[in-house]
């Protein structure tokens, strides 16, 4: 069985009741940290560059970019939000982790 199949099967069968309250609390904290650094990065010089690139590329206004009024394609919004989160983590060096960035 492929790793992706194993992981997706595990994830689809896991219920909230199967996860410890400590893990749920930590996950909520990490998500809030990620949103916070993403919002902060949008106002930083590196974040402005990321937003400028996204705006220059255009795209259908299907999804929003955190910390800005920018709307773009879902793919561009995903890239931009991830890039901003990564830039924010680098800038603010949080001890927490942000899902999807490293």
């Amino acid at each position: 069985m492929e790793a992706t199949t194993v992981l997706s099967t595990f994830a689809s069968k896991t219920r909230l009741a199967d996860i410890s309250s400590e893990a749920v609390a930590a996950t909520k904290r990490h998500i809030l940290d990620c949103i916070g650094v993403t919002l902060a990065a949008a106002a930083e010089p590196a974040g402005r560059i990321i937003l400028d690139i996204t705006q220059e590329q255009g795209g259908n206004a299907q999804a929003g970019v955190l910390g800005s009024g920018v709307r773009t394609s879902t793919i561009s919004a995903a890239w931009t939000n991830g890039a901003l989160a990564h830039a924010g983590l680098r800038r603010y060096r949080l001890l927490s982790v942000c899902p999807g960035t490293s």
Side-chain angles (χ1 to χ4, degrees), residues 22-88:
E22 294 85 5
V24 171
T27 300
K28 289 178 180 181
R29 187 176 61 253
H30 294 320
I31 291 169
L32 287 174
D33 283 349
C34 185
I35 292 169
V37 297
T38 301
L39 292 172
E44 295 283 339
R48 292 301 321 157
I49 292 169
I50 293 166
L51 290 168
D52 288 346
I53 290 168
T54 299
Q55 288 176 305
E56 287 174 12
Q57 291 181 348
N60 294 333
Q62 300 167 318
V65 175
L66 293 172
S68 73
V70 175
R71 291 193 57 79
T72 187
S73 70
T74 53
I75 292 172
S76 288
W79 176 82
T80 305
N81 285 322
L84 288 171
H86 186 77

Side-chain angles (χ1 to χ4, degrees), residues 21 23 42:
S21 59

